[in-house]
């Protein structure tokens, strides 16, 4: 049973380019969460999605960041016009239960974004 | 507002020593959940335990044990007879039942176990 799959594992972008991070949840999970981990920091919540719906985006920066979880395919976290401050590890997690943050979240291995 | 504090940024111990990682939390919810996650050098996050606010019994799993003290808002994690493979960053996290608040993480404690 495959876990949460994130790709790419490492992503290097120049300032101004776009970054697209992908997350496939565990089989049977229809709830996806994105977290960002800055160097030497804990994880900060960004957004919670169900299929075709954004449930909570209270942690998303107001500009340049967007997320989707289409009916088919992986969840995508998109960062437009990246800046050096976007360099971080981005983790995706999934859970099988509806609107329940108390489920143990199963995390992917993360995507490490480096902006040069 | 919910907050998790892990005051120990880094801890180093010699193999076979016992070590306790501290976690103090703040929440206004009467029902909430506490978690510990492990992040080894490879970078993934590994779920270790979930505890709800109504269950104050201590839990032991092999060399790991957790001490939940509601009176002091603490959820400490002890590793007995530490091993080099325990070297990792350990995160404590909190989630409130009301309002569907997302998981709030502490900044983590980096544990180094030296052979």
């Amino acid at each position: 049973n495959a876990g949460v799959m994130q790709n790419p594992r490492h992503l290097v972008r120049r300032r101004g380019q776009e970054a697209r991070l992908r997350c496939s949840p565990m089989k049977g999970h229809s709830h996806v969460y994105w977290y960002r981990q800055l160097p030497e920091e804990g994880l900060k919540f960004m957004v919670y999605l169900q299929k075709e719906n954004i449930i909570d985006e209270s942690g998303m920066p107001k500009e340049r960041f967007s997320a989707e979880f289409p009916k088919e395919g992986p969840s995508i976290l998109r960062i437009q016009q990246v800046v050096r401050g976007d360099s971080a590890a981005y983790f995706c997690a999934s859970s099988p239960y509806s609107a329940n943050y108390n489920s143990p979240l199963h995390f992917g291995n993360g995507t490490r974004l480096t902006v040069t | 507002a919910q907050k998790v504090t892990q005051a120990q940024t880094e801890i180093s111990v010699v193999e076979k020593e016992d070590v306790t990682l501290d976690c103090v939390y703040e929440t206004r919810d009467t029902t909430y959940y506490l978690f510990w996650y492990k992040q080894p050098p490879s970078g993934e996050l590994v779920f270790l335990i979930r505890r709800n606010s109504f269950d104050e019994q201590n839990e032991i799993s092999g060399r790991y044990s957790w001490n939940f003290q509601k009176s002091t808002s603490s959820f400490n994690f002890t590793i007995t007879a530490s091993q080099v493979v325990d070297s990792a960053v350990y995160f404590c996290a909190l989630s409130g039942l009301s309002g569907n608040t997302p998981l709030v993480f502490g900044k983590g404690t980096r544990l180094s176990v030296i052979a």
Side-chain angles (χ1 to χ4, degrees):
Chain A
N1 186 16
V4 177
M5 303 298 291
Q6 289 188 248
N7 67 81
R9 190 77 192 266
H10 299 276
L11 182 61
V12 180
R13 284 287 177 266
R14 291 185 180 156
R15 277 181 300 169
Q17 290 185 320
E18 178 179 287
R20 291 170 73 89
L21 288 63
R22 293 176 184 76
C23 169
S24 296
M26 284 182 72
K27 188 175 180 180
H29 289 193
S30 56
H31 304 268
V32 164
Y33 312 78
W34 285 93
Y35 281 78
R36 177 165 63 175
Q37 184 180 25
L38 294 168
E40 306 303 321
E41 293 279 330
L43 282 79
K44 297 277 196 274
F45 169 76
M46 298 182 77
V47 61
Y48 162 36
L49 309 109
Q50 293 178 29
K51 288 279 187 183
E52 299 183 281
N53 282 310
I54 296 175
I55 306 302
D56 182 347
E57 55 181 348
S58 57
M60 286 279 270
K62 298 262 185 281
E63 297 176 347
R64 302 188 297 107
F65 284 72
S66 62
E68 62 176 8
F69 189 16
K71 190 175 179 182
E72 301 290 337
S75 175
I76 306 286
L77 178 67
R78 182 180 176 211
I79 312 172
Q80 295 178 291
Q81 299 176 318
V82 295
V83 300
R84 288 226 173 99
D86 297 332
S87 296
Y90 292 83
F91 287 91
C92 170
S94 71
S95 73
Y97 306 117
S98 62
N100 185 347
Y101 289 107
N102 301 300
S103 315
L105 297 184
H106 299 268
F107 282 88
N109 287 342
T111 292
R112 277 140 191 89
L113 171 66
T114 301
V115 180
T116 60
Chain B
Q2 309 210 79
K3 186 178 176 183
V4 175
T5 301
Q6 294 180 256
Q8 304 148 309
T9 308
E10 293 190 37
I11 301 177
S12 285
V13 298
V14 176
E15 205 171 20
K16 296 183 185 173
E17 284 185 355
D18 299 347
V19 59
T20 295
L21 309 182
D22 297 332
C23 172
V24 173
Y25 61 91
E26 294 174 33
T27 180
R28 291 182 183 158
D29 290 328
T30 53
T31 301
Y32 50 89
Y33 287 80
L34 294 160
F35 301 77
W36 276 94
Y37 283 85
K38 174 183 180 180
Q39 187 176 39
S42 49
E44 72 272 24
L45 281 158
V46 178
F47 166 77
L48 295 178
I49 190 172
R50 179 183 75 161
R51 173 53 52 85
N52 77 55
S53 53
F54 293 112
D55 182 3
E56 288 194 67
Q57 279 196 346
N58 290 336
E59 180 152 344
I60 298 174
S61 175
R63 294 184 298 106
Y64 294 171
S65 62
W66 290 270
N67 182 3
F68 177 30
Q69 299 259 346
K70 213 167 175 179
S71 58
T72 55
S73 298
S74 64
F75 186 44
N76 296 339
F77 173 31
T78 298
I79 302 174
T80 303
S82 59
Q83 300 175 2
V84 173
V85 293
D86 295 328
S87 297
V89 180
Y90 290 86
F91 292 98
C92 180
L94 165 71
S95 177
L97 188 63
S98 64
N100 290 322
T101 49
L103 209 53
V104 174
F105 283 82
K107 291 192 175 182
T109 297
R110 182 179 299 279
L111 173 64
S112 299
V113 181
I114 304 161

